[in-house]
Amino acid sequence: MVEVVIASRNYNKIREVKEILKGLDIKFLSLKNFADFPKTEEDGNTFNENALKKAREMAKWTGRLTLAEDSGIEVDCLGGAPGVLSARFASTDRKRNLKLLKLLEGVPLSKRKARFRSAVALANPKGWTRVVGGSCRGRISFKPRGNSGFGYDPIFIIPKYNKTFGELGYPLKNKLSHRARALQKTRKILESLQA
Ligand code: IMP
């Protein structure tokens, strides 16, 4: 069985990655198995750059095939902000959501378009890399709704359901999300490596 390290300390993200890649003949390890791994500086200008950097550094450190994901939210009327800076937008999930809602005060639903983006990178210790992306369009709600998910999920509405990811719950989120779309492409790459 192939071992793949998931280069993340985010429990929710790790859970989604494992769920979406379910059924592959892979044993997933995470940073819990490599607790000394120093934090990667996410200083790239794009999600792809950050994901590749994390995957490369972790693959070198662990000597194993590594999967890293970088994600964030882009709001159209804010020129794509917070984008790659989504994690650093404020100090907690709640503060990040409230800050975004405040910035959009008075903006009607039709102008609250946003998208989540995910970049998934694979790297092995010899220097081989691949990176794929996925995105998911929606609208920013007027207040947080629902307790499922993490991060910006309670303020991200999927128009088809008129519900936030916080309300939709994991089974549906893991079919529709930016991460699901990027990981479906990743699944094909992992399957081709195993063939
Ligand atoms: P990172 O990819 O771990 O650097 O996360 C970037 C930021 O985007 C963090 O604030 C996350 O909480 C947020 N984020 C990433 N993916 C999701 C998601 O699927 N739902 C909600 N927020 C997310």
Side-chain angles (χ1 to χ4, degrees), residues 54-67:
K54 277 190 267 188
R56 281 197 183 108
E57 289 184 7
M58 185 89 199
K60 259 198 190 152
W61 177 274
T62 62
R64 287 175 170 83
L65 182 60
T66 297
L67 182 159

Side-chain angles (χ1 to χ4, degrees), residues 13 42 70-71 87 96 116 150-153 173 178-179:
K13 198 188 263 194
E42 294 184 22
D70 196 51
S71 44
R96 285 187 272 274
F116 270 127
F150 67 97
Y152 297 93
D153 282 344
K173 180 183 177 192
H178 49 311
R179 187 163 295 109

Side-chain angles (χ1 to χ4, degrees), residues 42 44-54 68-74 80 82-87 115-121 131-134 178:
E42 294 184 22
N45 292 319
T46 63
F47 297 106
N48 280 9
E49 275 178 49
N50 284 333
L52 273 168
K53 187 175 180 197
K54 277 190 267 188
E69 197 252 12
D70 196 51
S71 44
I73 193 165
E74 296 177 336
V84 284
L85 302 176
S86 293
R115 68 173 168 173
F116 270 127
R117 287 186 56 194
S118 162
V120 175
V131 63
V132 292
H178 49 311

Side-chain angles (χ1 to χ4, degrees), residues 110-161:
S110 60
K111 299 218 166 86
R112 300 171 81 93
K113 289 183 185 149
R115 68 173 168 173
F116 270 127
R117 287 186 56 194
S118 162
V120 175
L122 293 170
N124 77 9
K126 290 183 186 160
W128 170 93
T129 57
R130 290 290 298 271
V131 63
V132 292
S135 68
C136 172
R137 284 215 147 267
R139 304 269 162 111
I140 302 299
S141 64
F142 292 100
K143 57 179 187 168
R145 286 163 30 191
N147 299 315
S148 177
F150 67 97
Y152 297 93
D153 282 344
I155 61 164
F156 189 79
I157 298 173
I158 299 295
K160 183 177 170 194
Y161 298 93

